[in-house]
Structures are given as C-alpha cells and as structure tokens.
Amino acid sequence: MSVLSLSPSLSPRSIQRPALQPRVPGITATRHVSSQSLLDGARELVIQHQGSEYHLRLTRNDKLILTK
C-alpha cells in the first residue's frame, strides 16, 4: 500500500476543483469522494442528516460500515 504525502499548502481541502456540469439539463452528476478525504486520517466520521447522526466507521479489515 503506497502512502501519499501532501505538503500543507496542497492539502485536499485547499485544492480547487471545477464544478461538475450536468450533460443533460435538470440532471445532476453523481459526486465521487474518496473515503480517505472524508475520514481525513480518522477511523470514524459522524454525518448529520435530518436531525439524526450516522456513524461511518473504518473497520480493522478496511471495510466501511454506516450505522445510525
């Protein structure tokens, strides 16, 4: 497994990406986000959705589990 190291000035959050443009008007493109950028080195992420909290966890076997 290779490790990618970014200098502080090139952190994933500071990189500007162009907005996705739908090919068909009225249809939005599906976003693709890496789990590494979501978790940002942590093993768990809490997602708030419609007043509830969901936990996205990275297991010891590098699988993702989403629980309420």
Side-chain angles (χ1 to χ4, degrees), residues 46-65:
V46 177
I47 302 168
Q48 295 179 342
H49 176 68
Q50 296 182 349
S52 296
E53 286 189 352
Y54 294 82
H55 296 258
L56 181 66
R57 292 185 180 96
L58 181 62
T59 69
R60 286 180 274 183
N61 295 325
D62 289 327
K63 305 292 183 190
L64 292 174
I65 298 176

Side-chain angles (χ1 to χ4, degrees), residues 6-47:
L6 298 175
S7 67
S9 63
L10 293 177
S11 71
R13 291 185 179 149
S14 67
I15 298 173
Q16 295 294 323
R17 293 179 178 87
L20 295 176
Q21 297 296 323
R23 292 184 180 164
V24 178
I27 304 294
T28 58
T30 301
R31 289 180 49 202
H32 290 250
V33 180
S34 75
S35 61
Q36 292 172 336
S37 66
L38 280 175
L39 294 169
D40 196 24
R43 307 236 7 127
E44 182 173 349
L45 170 71
V46 177
I47 302 168

